[in-house]
Amino acid sequence: MTDLVAGTRRWPYGIALLAVALVPALLTDNPYYLRLGIQYGAIYAIVLAGLNVLIGGTGQVSLGHVGIFATAAYAGAYVGAAGLPWILTAVAAVTAALAVGLVIGFPALRLRGAYLALTTLAFGLLAIQLISAIPRVLAGAGATATVVDVPRPVLGPIVLTGNRGYYVFCILLAAPMVALARNVFWSQSGRQLQAVRDHEGAASTLGISIVPAKLGAFLFSAALAGLAGALYASFDPLLSPDNFKAEDSITFVIALLVGGLAAPVAGPVLGAAGSIVLVYLGQTYFRSYQALLTALVFLAILAFAPRGLGGLLRRTPLRRLLPGVGETLVQSAAKARATDAPRSPIEASDTGADATAVVAVGLSARENGDTTTVAHPAGTVLVERAPLLEVQDLVKSYGGVRAIDGVDFLVKSGDIHVLMGPNGSGKSTCLDVICGLAAADSGRVFLCGNDLTSMPAHARARAGIARTFQEIRLFPGMTVLENAMLGNPSRYRAWRQLLRTRGVAAEEREHAAEALALLEAWGLGEFASRAASDLSYGQRKMLELARAASRRPRVLLVDEPSAGLNPRWVASMVEALQALRAAGHTLLVVEHHQDVIADLADTVTVLDSGVVIAEGPPAAVQRDPRVVDVYLGPGAARLP
Ligand code: ADP
Ligand code: MG
């Protein structure tokens, strides 16, 4: 029971919700009520569950889903009318929906915002036109027979001819679909979709591949619209193209907004329930003003509850009973930690045949320049510290400006290597080109001897490069803990996460516990369940570093960690960076502050106008006359 109240065990709520949804079948045999329940309850819930993953998850607004729904209904109808079993009707509908989803999903990869919405709207119109044409073509020119008669599903000995049985059937299919869509929001895959929605560039530096994420969400929503189409096809005995209107796509989106965009269960369920009520009121009391009523109710809901009915519920005491994803993750993290200690969240990955790996197997090591002295039972050995990251002759121009112009340097394993230089000298551009967010005009990037130059950003991230940004790039739509968890990829494939297998749930608890431990170590623990956008500037910088570090990258690129921070935060930041080095991380840090550099740097590379002008240990570099010239003007004695 405490689990139930604490919100970590949620299936009893699901069962209760399902039971409530089934009650109408016990109470009424009225065909009108059941029709409302089937069409606007169950069928809408399925469509909205898919749309919620697409629009709420990835932020891609589709106004063409009625096209997918209608195509699927027709594909299912033709198969059903041929006398084949219902399951084949559903398979045909979902297959057609996936094919169509792929067609509109592709433009969605390039377009966004209003362009995407209008493209999908045009597609929806086109699909409906094509559907009305097919039966005419089939029936011969001049014929207007556009009606397909589809039989009801047969489940063994039961034929679902009555509306009551069909209602139960639809609800029993809708429930697992809503659950699947909910699982998306409760998984690493779902967080990745939201990361893509909030910032594609930052998402790709976390190893997230944008194309599969966007296309996957599109196909998921198409598949659900397809299943809904199959249910619709065998529900309406006389399926006709007139049943589908382009504006139905808009109604889907409105219903979702009314339910609560990105609310995993409330979005589709309350959206569908709200649609039933609106359609009932409209058809019963306001026949001539149905559209007006819908518009007014929609405006009222968004004015008083911008996050829909789901958001409204979360402002009531129900919130304590049913905490959201963020709060539940924190609770389950705390619980997981009570049972078994998480491994250190910032321990670096094994970087191969280098000194840190030797240390990791339990030998003691002492570093000295390019070699590490390792005390081994068989005697002292010297291990060469391998170059971990190497950039060769990197060139990158923007317009006429050569942001970097033939930059070479080597970052040694276990070092904090600082890139220093005046504003506009090309430091951030170096990081962009190393992590793959910007393509170099020429030159090469090697990590552990592997050439990464032709790889996209997400592949470089997977190869072991992580970064933070000069202008912080958190995902504001997620909580602090969810942001921190994004660094830690799941071992499980997306379809397993969709099913939320035992292993997936256990991994979620484990990753939440690790991320929470890191947040606590860096003074962010108490904010774990708050929105990332609630944090102060300094806290955001720390969170971004935590997110990158929890990838356990081979090399961590940090852009201006102390810029804009007050002295207290600068001290915490320096401590965090030192802790990362102590845990075996290799860092490439862009930094201005000389005292921070003196505290942190093993090696400093100085850039000026895109060219390396000095390199070496910090003390020597600060005395270098060329560096002094750049910072203090020609002839100045030394840096402040
Ligand atoms: P730093 O980080 O050292 O301050 P940057 O690498 O940000 O310098 O910038 C180096 C030069 O490249 C500047 O002249 C800047 O205006 C230009 N630059 C950097 N990024 C872009 C971009 N995305 N588009 C156009 N110009 C850019
Ligand atoms: Mg910069």
Side-chain angles (χ1 to χ4, degrees):
M1 189 62 201
T2 43
D3 271 0
L4 201 57
V5 174
T8 49
R9 182 165 299 162
R10 303 173 74 97
W11 58 265
Y13 294 109
I15 301 287
L17 192 60
L18 177 62
V20 169
L22 288 173
V23 163
L26 296 176
L27 295 184
T28 180
D29 203 12
N30 180 323
Y32 174 66
Y33 292 153
L34 289 171
R35 161 177 266 281
L36 282 181
I38 292 166
Q39 191 172 336
Y40 297 98
I43 292 181
Y44 257 53
I46 296 175
V47 175
L48 299 189
L51 268 184
N52 199 26
V53 167
L54 182 68
I55 306 181
T58 59
Q60 298 173 285
V61 178
S62 164
L63 295 180
H65 265 55
V66 76
I68 301 177
F69 178 67
T71 313
Y74 265 83
Y78 283 116
V79 170
L84 295 169
W86 191 83
I87 183 76
L88 291 183
T89 307
V91 169
V94 171
T95 310
L98 286 173
V100 170
L102 206 58
V103 173
I104 25 173
F106 267 107
L109 296 178
R110 302 194 141 261
L111 303 173
R112 50 178 97 192
Y115 291 100
L116 176 61
L118 290 177
T119 310
T120 50
L121 183 67
F123 165 80
L125 283 169
L126 189 69
I128 291 169
Q129 291 300 315
L130 285 176
I131 285 165
S132 352
I134 292 170
R136 265 200 293 271
V137 172
L138 289 180
T144 51
T146 55
V147 174
V148 186
D149 193 358
V150 195
R152 284 284 172 89
V154 181
L155 303 176
I158 311 166
V159 186
L160 296 170
T161 39
N163 279 345
R164 221 175 209 175
Y166 198 60
Y167 175 80
V168 171
F169 178 69
C170 289
I171 291 287
L172 290 180
L173 264 184
M177 297 306 126
V178 171
L180 284 185
R182 179 215 89 120
N183 289 349
V184 173
F185 285 96
W186 286 74
S187 70
Q188 181 71 334
S189 288
R191 286 189 287 276
Q192 292 182 335
L193 293 184
Q194 296 174 75
V196 169
R197 172 195 68 196
D198 288 352
H199 202 297
E200 284 184 22
S204 65
T205 65
L206 291 166
I208 301 167
S209 180
I210 309 295
V211 169
K214 284 183 156 182
L215 210 52
F218 224 103
L219 290 179
F220 179 77
S221 72
L224 292 203
L227 181 65
L231 288 175
Y232 186 74
S234 44
F235 166 56
D236 215 323
L238 296 174
L239 187 67
S240 138
D242 299 336
N243 300 2
F244 307 102
K245 301 193 177 48
E247 62 259 33
D248 292 346
S249 292
I250 300 172
T251 316
F252 289 150
V253 177
I254 290 180
L256 182 58
L257 292 176
V258 165
L261 189 61
V265 177
V269 170
L270 295 179
S275 305
I276 295 180
V277 174
L278 268 183
V279 172
Y280 173 73
L281 291 178
Q283 291 182 345
T284 315
Y285 301 107
F286 306 96
R287 249 188 183 289
S288 349
Y289 309 105
Q290 206 175 330
L292 184 68
L293 175 80
T294 310
L296 285 178
V297 169
F298 174 56
L299 288 176
I301 285 181
L302 290 195
F304 293 107
R307 316 202 64 181
L309 296 174
L312 206 59
L313 275 188
R314 299 194 56 69
R315 284 196 246 146
T316 67
L318 263 184
R319 182 193 177 98
R320 212 162 331 137
L321 207 59
L322 269 175
V325 185
E327 293 130 326
T328 309
L329 277 174
V330 174
Q331 286 159 354
S332 62
K335 241 174 88 178
R337 207 167 24 176
T339 50
D340 49 1
R343 64 187 181 130
S344 165
I346 54 167
E347 176 188 298
S349 72
D350 176 0
T351 48
D354 57 48
T356 35
V358 178
V359 179
V361 296
L363 303 171
S364 69
R366 209 157 30 78
E367 293 189 7
N368 173 23
D370 291 352
T371 56
T372 299
T373 316
V374 179
H376 186 273
T380 303
V381 284
L382 287 183
V383 179
E384 189 82 19
R385 279 197 299 145
L388 190 64
L389 175 73
E390 182 171 7
V391 303
Q392 287 178 357
D393 205 18
L394 281 183
V395 176
K396 174 75 190 169
S397 306
Y398 287 108
V401 181
R402 284 213 159 200
I404 49 175
D405 195 1
V407 170
D408 290 289
F409 60 83
L410 264 179
V411 177
K412 276 180 287 190
S413 175
D415 264 7
I416 294 189
H417 190 121
V418 167
L419 262 186
M420 173 182 133
N423 273 334
S425 57
K427 307 180 296 293
S428 296
T429 305
C430 272
L431 299 196
D432 287 346
V433 169
I434 292 170
C435 79
L437 278 184
D441 301 337
S442 64
R444 298 193 162 279
V445 178
F446 295 90
L447 183 70
C448 302
N450 300 316
D451 190 348
L452 306 188
T453 316
S454 56
M455 287 188 187
H458 71 269
R460 294 190 199 197
R462 290 177 192 177
I465 294 183
R467 77 168 288 181
T468 70
F469 295 87
Q470 188 171 354
E471 46 347 317
I472 308 164
R473 292 183 186 167
L474 291 175
F475 305 116
M478 278 180 278
T479 62
V480 170
L481 185 65
E482 286 176 287
N483 267 275
M485 285 175 74
L486 264 165
N488 209 349
S490 174
R491 288 188 296 274
Y492 297 95
R493 302 181 78 92
W495 68 268
R496 274 187 196 268
Q497 296 183 41
L498 204 58
L499 297 175
R500 198 175 170 83
T501 57
R502 241 169 224 277
V504 170
E507 184 193 60
E508 278 278 290
R509 279 194 297 278
E510 190 188 308
H511 285 187
E514 279 174 34
L516 187 63
L518 182 54
L519 292 176
E520 280 171 352
W522 288 3
L524 296 171
E526 59 186 296
F527 306 100
S529 61
R530 299 265 285 276
S533 50
D534 286 352
L535 294 183
S536 74
Y537 185 78
Q539 290 167 333
R540 285 185 211 192
K541 282 220 135 174
M542 296 295 279
L543 174 57
E544 202 194 28
L545 185 65
R547 185 180 74 187
S550 63
R551 287 191 64 72
R552 299 183 172 83
R554 290 175 190 276
V555 61
L556 177 49
L557 316 180
V558 187
D559 202 347
E560 307 239 1
S562 72
L565 296 185
N566 66 33
R568 191 176 71 82
W569 276 109
V570 172
S572 310
M573 183 56 87
V574 167
E575 226 171 85
L577 292 170
Q578 282 167 337
L580 286 172
R581 174 172 49 191
H585 280 276
T586 307
L587 292 97
L588 175 61
V589 181
V590 170
E591 186 52 65
H592 268 308
H593 293 113
Q594 296 307 316
D595 42 352
V596 173
I597 295 177
D599 281 348
L600 286 179
D602 297 299
T603 310
V604 180
T605 297
V606 186
L607 284 181
D608 183 38
S609 307
V611 179
V612 175
I613 57 164
E615 187 166 82
V621 162
Q622 287 176 353
R623 283 192 305 271
D624 189 303
R626 282 164 303 179
V627 178
V628 176
D629 278 357
V630 165
Y631 272 88
L632 298 178
R638 47 171 284 119
L639 284 170

